[in-house]
Amino acid sequence: MLLTNSVCWAKFERASLGEYKIAALSWMFREAKVAWNYLLLASVSLVLVQHGITEGELVLDESDRSRSKRTKRIHKAHKQKHKASGGYVNGQTVVLLLLVTQSVTILWVCFYMPDPALTAWTKEDRRLKKQGMTKKDRPVMPERITLIPQKLSLL
């Protein structure tokens, strides 16, 4: 990433002068038994220590990116409210966390997807509430799936 200043497999392939192919690089990063979270934590800690950074501000930003109608192969795509048209569109929610200091800015990017069971329950609960059904007669809220984290626990 430091050589090419990006996360683009084609740039990595060119930087290796064709020695490593795009498919091989992609497979290595997806299938390698490397604890990427710990590697990221160690590298960020090393940068902070080497530059003597002791203070900074955390900035959180999220944005919805609309995608095409067929999103089966797009990571964590889900149905979103389209503000411009008032309808719905399939898209991704990109969550950015920035550590802004005097000398360096560190960026962390991840994708968020709401819990589908909780979304379905909310939709059904609103429909039943609109019909005038009392709370005791409506279904109870389902437990959160631990494999689908909340936004703040992603960071």
Side-chain angles (χ1 to χ4, degrees), residues 83-153:
K83 294 171 183 123
S85 68
Y88 289 92
V89 67
N90 287 336
Q92 292 172 308
T93 300
V94 181
V95 181
L96 303 171
L97 179 68
L98 293 150
L99 173 62
V100 182
T101 68
Q102 292 283 339
S103 57
V104 69
T105 299
I106 300 172
L107 171 70
W108 174 254
V109 180
C110 57
F111 294 101
Y112 168 75
M113 185 173 119
D115 186 349
L118 191 60
T119 304
W121 174 82
T122 304
K123 184 177 178 181
E124 180 67 13
D125 191 55
R126 284 183 186 156
R127 187 184 68 79
L128 293 173
K129 189 186 285 186
K130 201 172 193 177
Q131 288 180 351
M133 190 176 284
T134 61
K135 186 172 183 170
K136 64 178 180 148
D137 295 331
R138 294 192 308 259
V140 295
M141 184 170 91
E143 298 227 357
R144 289 191 171 271
I145 300 172
T146 56
L147 296 175
I148 302 175
Q150 295 177 346
K151 261 183 214 172
L152 290 177
S153 64

Side-chain angles (χ1 to χ4, degrees), residues 37-63:
N37 290 337
Y38 293 119
L39 187 62
L40 176 69
L41 180 65
S43 60
V44 169
S45 299
L46 184 66
V47 167
L48 294 177
V49 169
Q50 282 184 342
H51 291 281
I53 298 170
T54 56
E55 61 183 33
E57 282 193 43
L58 283 174
V59 180
L60 180 70
D61 183 34
E62 70 173 86
S63 61

